[in-house]
């Protein structure tokens, strides 16, 4: 009887297999055909992994399709190493929901992890990390797991994420690590301003990453850029609430790859702790930051609109205090305007042994409650062009 049932239940699966394999534009694998139930309560992890395995084994470009509805899914890793398919699309019309008990995925590092997938598109959909229980635990100083990043993309090339919404992650919303050529377009990220460690997008050890037309509000950095990142473009985005767009933190290790060629263009910051920040530890390091262009930025009531902090130490206690740090050079701020929520709107606190070099301020206008804001420089060299308010405070050009 059980066997008969199993065979019977396989018939629609086989039928869809057959239909999808002859469909135009490659094979489509609907997660519901693999047993996923869109009720938000049945565990769909297996069904998603099996649909992925089928798409991965396809000889054509393939699609995993997630229809409307809510799908409960635990920690899942989607591997690409052995795939025959040269491009897999995950098309999501529904919402993927993490288990409400944060302990289930809280120790796994990542909730949904894509590893070594070359040729990946994730289109549409919502990821709901259900992080509030864990934030609550952390905010009460209890013994809690660190939490899971909602979407981790690792060691993958030629990736597109389009129109995805991520809400209430336990930890970071997205990580791009060890990747080349990644485009994140029209992404929406949201978590409350007081939710701990819910960074929007963290990029590390990656090259050729573009984030465009995205709206990010979180309890930590909207976007953070870690060591070994180059050729990045962030454009036409909104950030707030959150801690701004940060390069760093860098320099926690002596041997650390640098960050170079970063453009942040046409971004609006609303009520954030920082606008554009570079943060490095006061520790000797081989690391560097060079070739950064911040252009056409609007600051709306931002506490630190422009900041370089080479004595970064968020915990307050036991901070390193070396005169050396990561080397920072060629950083341009062009057409930055709006309001600062504190009087120091421009703050360059650079290291004594490795002063910041080649900082350029061009057409910067920041005010503080309709008064003049001020700028503050420590070991910072550069030049200013056009109208710059507050007046720059460089000592020497380099
Ligand atoms: C800098 O990065 C951009 C992508 O944002 C890329 O188009 C450009 O070629 C890079 N420049 C260099 C010198 O590598």
């Amino acid at each position: 009887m059980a066997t008969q049932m199993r065979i019977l239940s396989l018939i629609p699966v086989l039928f869809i297999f057959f239909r999808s394999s002859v469909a135009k534009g490659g094979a489509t694998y609907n997660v519901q055909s693999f047993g996923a139930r869109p009720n938000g309560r049945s565990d769909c992890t297996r069904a998603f992994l099996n649909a992925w395995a089928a798409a991965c084994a396809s000889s054509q470009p393939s699609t995993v399709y997630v229809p409307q509805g809510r799908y409960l899914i635990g920690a899942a890793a989607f591997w690409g190493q052995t795939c025959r398919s040269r491009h897999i699309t995950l098309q999501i019309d529904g919402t993927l929901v993490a288990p409400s008990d944060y302990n289930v995925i809280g120790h796994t590092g990542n909730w949904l992890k894509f590893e070594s997938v070359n040729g990946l598109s994730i289109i549409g959909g919502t990821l709901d990390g259900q992080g509030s229980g864990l934030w609550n635990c952390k905010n009460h100083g209890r013994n809690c797991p660190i939490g899971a990043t909602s979407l981790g993309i690792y060691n993958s090339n030629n990736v597109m994420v389009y129109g995805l919404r991520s809400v209430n992650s336990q930890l970071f919303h997205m990580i791009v690590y060890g990747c080349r050529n990644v485009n994140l377009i029209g992404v929406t990220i949201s978590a409350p301003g007081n939710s701990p460690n819910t960074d929007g997008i963290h990029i590390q050890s990656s090259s050729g990453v573009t984030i465009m037309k995205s709206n990010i509000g979180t309890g930590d950095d909207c976007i953070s850029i870690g060591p070994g990142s180059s050729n990045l473009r962030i454009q036409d985005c909104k950030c707030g609430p959150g801690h701004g767009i940060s390069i760093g933190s860098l320099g926690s290790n002596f041997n650390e790859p640098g960050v170079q060629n970063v453009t942040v263009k046409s971004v609006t910051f609303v009520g954030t702790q920082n606008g554009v920040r570079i943060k490095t530890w006061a520790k000797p390091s081989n690391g560097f930051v060079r070739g950064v262009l911040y252009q056409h930025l609007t600051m709306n009531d931002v506490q630190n609109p422009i900041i370089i902090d080479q004595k970064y130490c968020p915990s307050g206690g036991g901070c390193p205090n070396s005169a050396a740090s990561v080397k920072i050079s060629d950083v341009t701020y062009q057409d930055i305007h709006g309001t600062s929520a504190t009087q120091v709107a421009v703050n360059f606190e650079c290291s004594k042994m490795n002063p910041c070099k080649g900082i350029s301020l061009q057409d910067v206008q920041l005010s503080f409650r309709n008064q003049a804001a001020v700028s503050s420089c420590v070991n910072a060299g550069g030049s200013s062009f056009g109208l710059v308010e507050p007046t720059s405070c460089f000592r020497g050009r380099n």
Side-chain angles (χ1 to χ4, degrees), residues 78 114-115 125 144 152 204 243 245-246 259 270 334 347 378:
F78 303 93
F114 292 83
E115 169 71 56
C144 329
Q204 190 162 334
H243 295 182
I245 295 181
S246 295
V259 171
V270 180
Q334 195 175 63
N347 189 357
V378 176

Side-chain angles (χ1 to χ4, degrees), residues 207-210 230-234 260-263 291:
S207 180
V209 180
T210 297
S230 61
N231 304 353
L232 312 183
R233 187 177 194 87
I234 297 162
Q260 63 184 327
N261 186 17
V262 177
T263 298

Side-chain angles (χ1 to χ4, degrees), residues 75-359:
F78 303 93
W79 290 79
Q81 253 145 351
T82 59
C83 290
R84 277 180 77 199
S85 176
R86 274 184 290 119
H87 195 107
I88 303 179
T89 300
L90 178 58
Q91 165 89 46
I92 312 173
D93 286 343
T95 298
L96 277 52
V97 186
S100 56
D101 175 359
Y102 56 76
N103 285 304
V104 178
I105 62 167
H107 300 275
T108 58
N110 297 271
W111 174 29
L112 306 169
K113 178 178 183 177
F114 292 83
E115 169 71 56
S116 305
V117 188
N118 294 323
L120 170 70
S121 302
I122 301 175
I123 299 176
T126 298
L127 310 180
D128 183 351
Q130 302 235 68
S132 62
L134 181 62
W135 312 331
N136 211 5
C137 178
K138 287 183 175 179
N139 283 338
H140 286 88
R142 293 204 297 270
N143 195 10
C144 329
I146 184 162
T149 289
S150 282
L151 175 64
I153 301 172
Y154 294 81
N155 307 309
S156 298
N157 302 335
N158 309 323
V159 176
M160 159 77 96
V161 177
Y162 182 84
L164 178 69
R165 198 169 144 248
S166 176
V167 302
N168 300 336
S169 58
Q170 289 188 347
L171 197 66
F172 296 6
H173 285 81
M174 296 182 194
I175 287 186
V176 173
Y177 190 104
C179 297
R180 294 175 68 142
N181 186 24
V182 177
N183 289 283
L184 308 172
I185 317 277
V187 169
T188 305
I189 292 176
S190 95
N194 62 355
S195 56
N197 316 120
T198 53
D199 297 53
I201 302 169
H202 180 72
I203 301 163
Q204 190 162 334
S205 306
S206 294
S207 180
V209 180
T210 297
I211 302 172
M212 281 182 76
K213 299 188 194 322
S214 294
N215 189 343
I216 305 174
T218 71
D220 209 305
D221 290 335
C222 288
I223 297 172
S224 56
I225 298 166
S229 303
S230 61
N231 304 353
L232 312 183
R233 187 177 194 87
I234 297 162
Q235 190 175 343
D236 298 323
C237 293
K238 191 195 148 215
C239 166
H243 295 182
I245 295 181
S246 295
I247 295 178
S249 59
L250 301 176
S252 61
N253 299 312
F254 180 75
N255 279 313
E256 193 181 80
V259 171
Q260 63 184 327
N261 186 17
V262 177
T263 298
V264 178
K265 184 173 174 174
S266 304
V267 175
T268 298
F269 298 83
V270 180
T272 49
Q273 184 196 77
N274 307 284
V276 284
R277 169 167 64 161
I278 300 174
K279 49 178 173 177
T280 76
W281 293 87
K283 285 169 128 185
S285 173
N286 275 340
F288 59 85
V289 177
R290 59 184 177 227
V292 181
L293 173 62
Y294 297 113
Q295 196 179 41
H296 310 316
L297 308 182
T298 303
M299 304 287 170
N300 250 323
D301 203 30
V302 172
Q303 289 173 44
N304 307 294
I306 293 177
I307 179 166
I308 296 178
D309 176 9
Q310 295 219 268
K311 289 196 167 162
Y312 178 69
C313 185
S315 69
C319 295
N321 199 18
S322 170
S325 186
V326 162
K327 291 173 193 63
I328 298 177
S329 60
D330 297 320
V331 181
T332 299
Y333 301 87
Q334 195 175 63
D335 182 24
I336 320 282
H337 58 269
T339 55
S340 174
T342 67
Q343 193 165 25
V344 181
V346 178
N347 189 357
F348 299 124
E349 181 163 3
C350 300
S351 96
K352 190 169 167 128
M353 271 178 67
N354 310 109
C356 298
K357 291 182 184 174
I359 299 179

